[in-house]
Amino acid sequence: MPEQPYDPELLTLLKPRTYERELYGFRGGRFNSDRTKFFAYTYARLDTVEFDDYHWVFLSFAGHSSMGTDTTRQQKWIDDRSYHMKGMEECIKEGIYEAWSITFIGMLYEEKWFISKGLTFWGEQMDEEKSFSWLTRGASDPEFWSKGSFGPPLALNGLDGQPVRNIEDEEFSPAPWLVTSIKRDEKEKINHAFEQYMNVANIDPFLQRMRIHSPDQYVDFFPIFGNYTLIYPRERSHFLLAAVSKHREKGNRLVWFFYEPASSTFYRWTYPQIRYSEGYFDGEDVIAVLKDISDWNDWRFLNSSCTLDDPNFWAEYVLKKEARQYLWLEAVG
């Protein structure tokens, strides 16, 4: 099948915003009428390239889909009654996947192009023509440019039929789903890297020092989630650390510390009242402290891509000073 005609400006737009090998087999696409949105796609057979040259390209995607494959060939039997599906590399090397496409969906928003990419592999049941038909499905729909990725974030309802609050999307409202998802994912990756670094470089050594110097007061520390919970503003100039600590005689309590990277100093945040319990503390207990003094009023803010960007909270309840002394912070460590 001959290559599809396309607007050359699509490649002009994509080349500096993606890897060259991702554009291999570029076949077509289109802009909307005012050229603020586009979709484009590639198609290439795996037997036209060296696997090692493109393996890293495929791995750069969080996942992939497949169409037209013989699913029985994808089954890898563990025993007579159970199997799991073969991974991407096995399917490529065994010829189960014969070709691949990368789709690009883009939108100009706030004077910046936001572009998402998707990876699809094709099996023996999807030839080139069928693949193109699948890739361009729905493109003739008059609402193509206003729904799906170009439309608003998907609204979900609970079992009771009431809308479920989407904490992470609220920050970016009223941006379309495409923009929201890209901004959210980028922020989540940056936050995760920041938190991982702070946990290893500063928090773990600090908590160990606290246990060494005050072994009865801090028998042990426990994270509320998988890692210690950090609460910080968008610029990440400082953070609050929330953790559960065991007192040798009084039991567990929720403890709060504040860290200022500029001075490498830890403080005890003294605003919350100390409460001991033989039980555990969870995200609801953290939000119980924050909800009356900040705009965080739901436990789902925790362990999300959200940052606490309420300036009044930081100024009045964390960093406030009287006579040049912090009112709610006490230096430790």
Side-chain angles (χ1 to χ4, degrees):
M1 181 176 179
E3 291 192 359
Q4 305 297 298
Y6 60 84
D7 189 324
E9 194 172 320
L10 281 170
L11 275 179
T12 302
L13 176 67
L14 284 168
K15 280 183 176 179
R17 293 174 173 84
T18 189
Y19 294 112
E20 182 179 4
R21 286 179 178 170
E22 290 179 330
L23 294 173
Y24 178 72
F26 189 82
R27 294 304 180 93
R30 58 187 288 198
F31 285 99
N32 69 335
S33 58
D34 63 6
R35 306 180 76 79
T36 59
K37 304 172 185 177
F38 75 87
F39 84 95
Y41 54 91
T42 69
Y43 178 91
R45 291 192 58 84
L46 287 157
D47 56 15
T48 64
V49 299
E50 292 293 331
F51 172 75
D52 290 342
D53 291 339
Y54 281 81
H55 190 204
W56 68 268
V57 175
F58 302 146
L59 290 177
S60 68
F61 289 80
H64 71 274
S65 60
S66 61
M67 299 285 293
T69 59
D70 182 347
T71 55
T72 60
R73 292 179 63 195
Q74 291 180 272
Q75 297 169 358
K76 191 171 186 176
W77 288 88
I78 301 170
D79 52 43
D80 291 340
R81 293 179 297 178
S82 59
Y83 65 88
H84 64 254
M85 302 302 284
K86 295 175 181 177
M88 176 189 68
E89 184 171 346
E90 288 180 289
C91 288
I92 292 174
K93 290 186 173 180
E94 294 179 17
I96 299 170
Y97 293 165
E98 297 186 350
W100 86 92
S101 291
I102 295 176
T103 54
F104 305 90
I105 299 175
M107 170 181 285
L108 184 63
Y109 188 82
E110 296 177 341
E111 300 183 353
K112 176 183 176 181
W113 280 103
F114 290 85
I115 301 171
S116 69
K117 296 177 286 188
L119 174 64
T120 302
F121 288 102
W122 309 105
E124 61 186 20
Q125 300 166 18
M126 292 286 286
D127 60 20
E128 192 169 341
E129 185 173 356
K130 290 179 180 178
S131 300
F132 287 153
S133 296
W134 189 89
L135 288 169
T136 57
R137 69 198 187 286
S140 58
D141 186 338
E143 297 182 357
F144 177 78
W145 300 109
S146 60
K147 64 181 183 179
S149 295
F150 300 114
L154 183 64
L156 299 176
N157 292 328
L159 296 177
D160 59 359
Q162 297 300 311
V164 176
R165 186 179 184 186
N166 193 326
I167 294 290
E168 295 189 277
D169 288 353
E170 288 178 4
E171 176 182 357
F172 309 108
S173 179
W177 183 87
L178 175 65
V179 175
T180 294
S181 63
I182 291 174
K183 284 188 171 185
R184 183 189 63 232
D185 291 348
E186 288 178 349
K187 187 174 181 181
E188 189 174 66
K189 290 176 182 177
I190 294 171
N191 288 353
H192 180 72
F194 171 74
E195 293 175 13
Q196 288 292 102
Y197 174 79
M198 286 299 170
N199 268 278
V200 174
N202 297 295
I203 294 170
D204 288 343
F206 165 70
L207 296 181
Q208 186 178 70
R209 291 197 302 271
M210 297 295 287
R211 293 180 63 200
I212 292 170
H213 296 317
S214 304
D216 291 330
Q217 186 176 359
Y218 302 108
V219 175
D220 207 350
F221 289 96
F222 310 96
I224 296 167
F225 298 104
N227 292 317
Y228 289 109
T229 298
L230 306 188
I231 299 165
Y232 44 88
R234 184 181 293 108
E235 61 272 17
R236 303 173 192 85
S237 53
H238 45 250
F239 64 77
L240 283 168
L241 159 66
V244 177
S245 180
K246 181 180 179 180
H247 190 286
R248 191 172 301 280
E249 297 178 355
K250 299 179 181 180
N252 293 333
R253 70 198 187 279
L254 186 64
V255 293
W256 294 84
F257 298 101
F258 174 84
Y259 182 67
E260 185 180 59
S263 62
S264 300
T265 304
F266 273 97
Y267 298 82
R268 184 179 291 106
W269 188 38
T270 61
Y271 182 86
Q273 292 185 345
I274 297 176
R275 178 169 62 89
Y276 291 92
S277 172
E278 291 301 321
Y280 197 65
F281 292 84
D282 58 20
E284 295 283 6
D285 296 296
V286 174
I287 292 300
V289 173
L290 300 174
K291 66 180 182 180
D292 293 330
I293 55 177
S294 77
D295 54 13
W296 276 24
N297 56 8
D298 193 300
W299 69 268
R300 287 171 291 186
F301 278 108
L302 303 168
N303 208 27
S304 73
S305 65
C306 300
T307 47
L308 207 169
D309 301 315
D310 179 352
N312 185 68
F313 166 75
W314 295 103
E316 292 297 320
Y317 299 100
V318 181
L319 296 169
K320 188 172 184 176
K321 288 185 177 182
E322 288 185 357
R324 298 185 179 181
Q325 298 293 319
Y326 284 121
L327 185 62
W328 307 117
L329 297 178
E330 176 185 293
V332 293

